Amino acid sequence: MKANTFFAFVTGLAAGAVLGLLFAPEKGEKTRDQIRKSAEDGLDKLRGALEKVEEEVEGLADGLAAESDE
């Protein structure tokens, strides 16, 4: 459930940023650069969140393996 909420939040954030940039009165090249930077920033944040989830899952798996050894 939390993963769906996070994904919806990130998707909404990205869509809002793109729409805001598209309707801003800037030159096309500058707008494309801003969209590219926003997308790269979003991907970096998503990668960080995925790494955090991966670490938590590995920790849970290690804990379960330790319990099964007992």
Side-chain angles (χ1 to χ4, degrees):
M1 182 68 174
K2 289 183 182 183
N4 289 338
T5 303
F6 177 74
F7 181 72
F9 173 74
V10 170
T11 302
L13 187 65
V18 169
L19 288 174
L21 288 172
L22 289 176
F23 287 105
E26 297 286 344
K27 286 187 166 190
E29 183 177 344
K30 187 173 182 179
T31 300
R32 286 189 298 274
D33 288 342
Q34 289 175 339
I35 291 171
R36 186 178 303 110
K37 180 166 177 19
S38 293
E40 289 171 355
D41 291 346
L43 285 174
D44 288 342
K45 289 179 183 179
L46 183 59
R47 285 185 186 114
L50 289 175
E51 286 176 8
K52 194 177 211 181
V53 168
E54 183 180 5
E55 290 172 3
E56 289 181 20
V57 168
E58 287 175 356
L60 289 172
D62 290 344
L64 290 173
E67 286 180 15
S68 68
D69 289 342
E70 293 175 359

